[in-house]
Amino acid sequence: MKRVVTAFGILAILVYAQGFEEVDIAELGIDELAGSVSFLDYNGDGRIDFWAGYAYLNDGEGNFTKLETSKWGGGEIVCWGDYNNDGYPDALTCRTVWIDTTPRKDTCFILLYENSGPPDYVLVDVSEDVGLGFPILDRDLNDPAWLDYDADGLLDFYYSSYEFVPLNSEEDYPYWSGHEDYLFHNTGSGFEDASEAAGIREGGTDTLCARGVSVGDYDSDGDVDIFVSVYRLQPNILWRNNGNGTFTNVAEEAGVMGIFSEDYYGHNIGAAWGDYNNDGYLDLFTPITHHPTYPGDYTSHLWANDGPPEWGFTDHFAESGMNNSEIGSAPVWTDYDNDGDLDLYWLNLYGSPGKQGWLYRNDGDNQFTDVTLKVGIKTWGSKSYVLWVDINQDGKMDVYAPYSYSGETHKVFFINTAERGHWLQLDFEGRESNRSGIGTRVWAYCGDLMVIREAAPSNGNGYGSMFIARQHLGLADHEMIDSLIIRWPRGRIDRIRSLAADHLIGMVEGPPSAPARLTYSWLGGDSYYFAWIPSPERDVAGYRLWQRFGSADPWHIIADAIPACSTRYTVMLEPPLAEVSITAYDYCEEDAESPHSPVATGVEEDPFAPSGLNFEVGSFSRIIPCRFSLPTISDVSLEIYDPAGRRVRVLASGQYHAGTHELRWPGTDEEGRALGSGVYFVRLVVDGEKAIARKTILR
């Protein structure tokens, strides 16, 4: 427990016990910051690494080792994405050269560093090779964001442009002169400037002082939209994606331009998308920058998405219980307590009420409570951003929150130590869509709780990249997810039923297939991370993990009903780990065969091949008729299985006489409870011969 030698030391110890414990990054192995801090899985091992000019590789418990070969060539704010779909994240940034002339001319260069992958993971400057790296004169590029705006499976990017700053303020040049933003399209062989063709230079937007870029599908139509925070008392921009490669600014119609007061709008540095009220639509928070007595927008905005058909926004900040600040910035939505709704962190850069940050707990009904001091992450002093991430993979969100106070710089994590609710963490790997999974949306249904997340490339705070591909979902007291729906950027929908909480799962786009190779690594404590490479030989319905302690011992299931579209999974096991194996099942079995080799499939024949049984299952309306014919008296079982392989209903078990029989299933389990929508399996066994039918229930 860290002791704080101040008048507030005893209080600090008390609140640490309630939530977070402060740890200096040096204690975790991080000794040098040489670039914009980011969190990402830099080397593809399933662990979230720390990056700041070098990659610091995570051992799974939140301890880091510097990868010397990963040092970059320099730049400013960094945004990560796999532009060439090779499986390793690449760095997008820019470099600004200030030429000492009058008026000052800022020359910018957009830079792209490609991650070379194993063994050295070198960041190679490929800017000129892909059509970037040329000088952009008289510009102050600010915030980059990856996105696939045309859903072609390749990452494009948007770059905001701030303002022209003259060397001599008395020069006859507008001090608040903004410039056009940039949209570059990925052609597969390089990047082309698509700004004009996409329409992002229209309607006077090319003279605005843009800051943070926040990407999200606010109108739920499947393509990404862009909110641009604008400074210098100018209106914000909301680019609605028209679905044909073009955008339209709808900020005025949607009501997110900001308040027009005394002939001016506001100063906005950044914004954050997130569904804070769990209604299934992305909401928007924008902290305001407003000096007392100055004109323009004077309040922060908690804009709730009204949904269809207009897709406008209603501001609830005044009733939220949150306080205004003079220089609000760097908002982040995060579910720090895993209670199923998004909480909000943002900070004041300077001015009233002092340099500080706030963590507001979401209490529902548009109400928030300041818990910063209570949970132990209150700091005084200047900071420009915070980054929330689960660095030790325990399912609880930690926070990197550097700050300066009394002339000293504190580079610290606050580790989330309190008992929290259940959770789920997901990694996305696109195949037809972009490999990073940027733009993927997920819905999780647990009883009366519905949670959505969307993998976005930037937090849009204007000071640093927030993108972490891994999505964290708090689930409150729910131990199971009833239904998980994944919408990939190119439109594919995957649905998973009956998924256990408290796991990290890697999801892969496309038809699931049998595993070809199983690997695992120890994450520390009793947590193990398993990964497998699918084989395209045949489709499967799901996976099971097994272990045994000796070659003569029986195999035991250690994880069941793993989603078929996954390739990674975490399991809690007592070390040391014994011999492990994975099997794929093609249909739902009551008792799966155990593996006979390090990788087995569990099913030796195609269960859906034609059988000699006369078996017919009708379509679902209110009742599903199941008919079968017997030539002689026979032993019969007729059972229903859910997608996780669990038997949910027995319709028949015993001897039946010769002839045609019809049994009617109303879509309920043994207790008479209606089963949810999804695919179910009807299995008939007659004197040992099997027949299987798939049926879909839609409610």
Side-chain angles (χ1 to χ4, degrees):
M1 187 73 65
K2 181 174 180 177
R3 265 57 176 178
V4 181
V5 188
T6 68
F8 301 96
I10 295 176
L11 177 61
I13 293 171
L14 173 64
V15 297
Y16 281 2
Q18 295 181 7
F20 291 80
E21 181 174 355
E22 182 176 337
V23 179
D24 192 282
I25 63 173
E27 297 179 32
L28 304 179
I30 300 169
D31 62 0
E32 180 182 359
L33 302 185
S36 174
V37 174
S38 307
F39 289 92
L40 68 157
D41 183 1
Y42 184 80
N43 60 344
D45 65 354
R47 301 161 180 170
I48 297 298
D49 306 309
F50 182 100
W51 189 90
Y54 292 90
Y56 289 85
L57 303 183
N58 194 337
D59 68 356
E61 290 193 294
N63 300 302
F64 298 90
T65 302
K66 181 190 286 187
L67 182 62
E68 296 285 353
T69 57
S70 65
K71 185 176 182 180
W72 73 330
E76 298 171 19
I77 294 172
V78 179
C79 192
W80 294 90
D82 186 2
Y83 88 95
N84 56 359
N85 290 334
D86 67 351
Y88 301 101
D90 312 300
L92 177 68
T93 186
C94 77
R95 180 180 292 120
T96 302
V97 179
W98 290 2
I99 304 173
D100 191 7
T101 61
T102 303
R104 173 178 290 171
K105 295 183 182 298
D106 296 348
T107 301
C108 286
F109 301 84
I110 298 176
L111 303 178
L112 179 62
Y113 292 97
E114 181 179 313
N115 187 335
S116 65
D120 296 323
Y121 301 96
V122 177
L123 284 180
V124 180
D125 187 346
V126 296
S127 308
E128 294 186 2
D129 297 338
V130 298
L132 303 173
F134 52 86
I136 301 176
L137 299 177
D138 300 338
R139 298 295 181 266
D140 181 16
L141 298 184
N142 196 257
D143 199 31
W146 291 108
L147 72 163
D148 183 6
Y149 75 91
D150 56 351
D152 64 353
L154 298 171
L155 285 180
D156 318 299
F157 68 86
Y158 189 104
Y159 227 121
S160 65
S161 180
Y162 185 30
E163 63 184 359
F164 180 94
V165 183
L167 186 66
N168 187 340
S169 60
E170 296 181 358
E171 288 293 325
D172 185 19
Y173 193 94
Y175 180 71
W176 294 346
S177 177
H179 292 287
E180 65 272 14
D181 293 348
Y182 292 85
L183 178 67
F184 278 86
H185 179 247
N186 189 340
T187 66
S189 58
F191 290 88
E192 295 179 349
D193 188 347
S195 308
E196 294 283 355
I200 69 163
R201 302 277 173 81
E202 298 179 359
T205 58
D206 57 346
T207 62
L208 300 180
C209 300
R211 298 294 293 269
V213 179
S214 306
V215 175
D217 181 13
Y218 85 95
D219 55 359
S220 299
D221 62 355
D223 47 37
V224 292
D225 311 296
I226 307 168
F227 181 84
V228 183
S229 299
V230 179
Y231 208 68
R232 297 301 180 199
L233 301 176
Q234 297 172 332
N236 298 314
I237 302 170
L238 176 58
W239 292 117
R240 184 191 65 206
N241 192 327
N242 299 321
N244 59 2
T246 68
F247 292 83
T248 301
N249 182 17
V250 296
E252 183 174 9
E253 298 95 307
V256 294
M257 293 175 70
I259 294 175
F260 188 68
S261 174
E262 301 180 56
D263 297 325
Y264 292 99
Y265 286 94
H267 295 294
N268 283 285
I269 296 176
W273 293 106
D275 180 20
Y276 79 87
N277 54 10
N278 287 344
D279 64 355
Y281 309 125
L282 289 182
D283 311 306
L284 185 67
F285 179 74
T286 60
I288 199 67
T289 294
H290 180 262
H291 302 296
T293 74
Y294 274 50
D297 195 349
Y298 49 83
T299 182
S300 298
H301 300 283
L302 179 64
W303 276 314
N305 192 331
D306 299 331
E310 301 300 329
W311 298 104
F313 292 82
T314 300
D315 190 3
H316 294 283
F317 185 81
E319 66 198 69
S320 69
M322 292 188 284
N323 296 318
N324 246 323
S325 65
E326 186 171 346
I327 312 294
S329 180
V332 183
W333 292 107
T334 184
D335 189 357
Y336 85 95
D337 52 4
N338 286 349
D339 68 347
D341 52 28
L342 287 172
D343 311 298
L344 181 63
Y345 188 99
W346 56 292
L347 55 85
N348 189 46
L349 294 180
Y350 59 88
S352 175
K355 300 175 182 178
Q356 58 179 299
W358 297 274
L359 175 62
Y360 283 99
R361 185 188 65 217
N362 187 343
D363 297 327
D365 297 324
N366 302 312
Q367 298 296 302
F368 290 78
T369 299
D370 182 2
V371 295
T372 322
L373 184 62
K374 178 180 179 180
V375 302
I377 62 172
K378 191 68 175 181
T379 60
W380 299 96
S382 63
K383 53 181 173 286
S384 57
Y385 65 94
V386 295
L387 301 175
W388 287 83
V389 59
D390 177 14
I391 64 167
N392 52 10
Q393 300 192 157
D394 63 356
K396 296 177 292 190
M397 296 299 283
D398 314 301
V399 57
Y400 175 66
Y403 64 97
S404 298
Y405 187 68
S406 296
E408 295 185 3
T409 299
H410 303 263
K411 302 170 184 177
V412 298
F413 280 102
F414 289 91
I415 306 300
N416 196 335
T417 59
E419 292 298 322
R420 306 295 187 191
H422 294 288
W423 54 274
L424 180 69
Q425 296 197 83
L426 300 172
D427 291 335
F428 299 116
E429 182 180 324
R431 293 294 173 87
E432 295 296 323
S433 301
N434 68 87
R435 189 75 173 265
S436 298
I438 289 174
T440 302
R441 178 177 287 191
V442 59
W443 294 258
Y445 295 86
C446 311
D448 59 354
L449 175 67
M450 188 272 290
V451 178
I452 76 166
R453 296 288 186 271
E454 189 167 299
S458 170
N459 190 51
N461 61 34
Y463 283 100
S465 173
M466 181 56 197
F467 173 55
I468 300 170
R470 181 165 298 163
Q471 294 300 299
H472 170 268
L473 294 76
L475 303 175
D477 59 353
H478 297 281
E479 298 180 356
M480 295 290 296
I481 298 96
D482 301 323
S483 177
L484 190 74
I485 300 175
I486 300 171
R487 187 193 70 193
W488 297 91
R490 298 204 70 187
R492 176 185 171 87
I493 303 292
D494 287 324
R495 294 177 173 86
I496 302 162
R497 306 236 356 137
S498 302
L499 180 64
D502 303 329
H503 286 289
L504 163 62
I505 307 177
M507 296 294 184
V508 176
E509 178 187 26
S513 56
R517 187 173 78 239
L518 175 68
T519 62
Y520 63 89
S521 58
W522 181 49
L523 298 182
D526 57 358
S527 183
Y528 287 85
Y529 179 86
F530 292 86
W532 53 93
I533 299 174
S535 166
E537 294 177 358
R538 71 166 184 273
D539 291 352
V540 302
Y543 299 113
R544 294 185 178 98
L545 283 169
W546 307 71
Q547 81 168 352
R548 66 179 178 182
F549 292 92
S551 58
D553 294 329
W555 289 94
H556 299 282
I557 294 176
I558 56 177
D560 201 0
I562 300 173
C565 60
S566 60
T567 60
R568 286 167 281 179
Y569 202 68
T570 53
V571 178
M572 308 297 285
L573 294 172
E574 290 292 334
L577 190 65
E579 184 180 358
V580 292
S581 181
I582 188 170
T583 63
Y585 52 89
D586 289 339
Y587 69 103
C588 298
E589 300 175 88
E590 179 182 2
D591 296 306
E593 296 291 332
S594 61
H596 303 288
S597 65
V599 174
T601 60
V603 178
E604 300 302 327
E605 68 279 344
D606 181 1
F608 296 99
S611 72
L613 300 178
N614 188 350
F615 180 41
E616 178 184 356
V617 179
S619 300
F620 177 76
S621 55
R622 296 177 57 191
I623 299 292
I624 294 181
C626 305
R627 304 180 187 90
F628 57 92
S629 299
L630 303 176
T632 62
I633 187 170
S634 304
D635 290 322
V636 174
S637 72
L638 185 60
E639 299 168 335
I640 313 295
Y641 291 84
D642 70 9
R646 295 175 299 217
R647 184 174 60 194
V648 296
R649 185 71 184 268
V650 177
L651 297 180
S653 179
Q655 285 193 336
Y656 280 68
H657 57 76
T660 299
H661 304 266
E662 179 177 300
L663 301 177
R664 298 164 66 82
W665 178 45
T668 58
D669 63 12
E670 293 288 7
E671 305 299 323
R673 296 170 297 204
L675 295 168
S677 299
V679 177
Y680 291 83
F681 301 86
V682 184
R683 182 172 72 169
L684 174 69
V685 181
V686 177
D687 292 335
E689 186 176 358
K690 300 177 184 178
I692 305 292
R694 287 189 180 100
K695 286 297 161 184
T696 300
I697 292 179
L698 296 175
R699 297 192 185 276

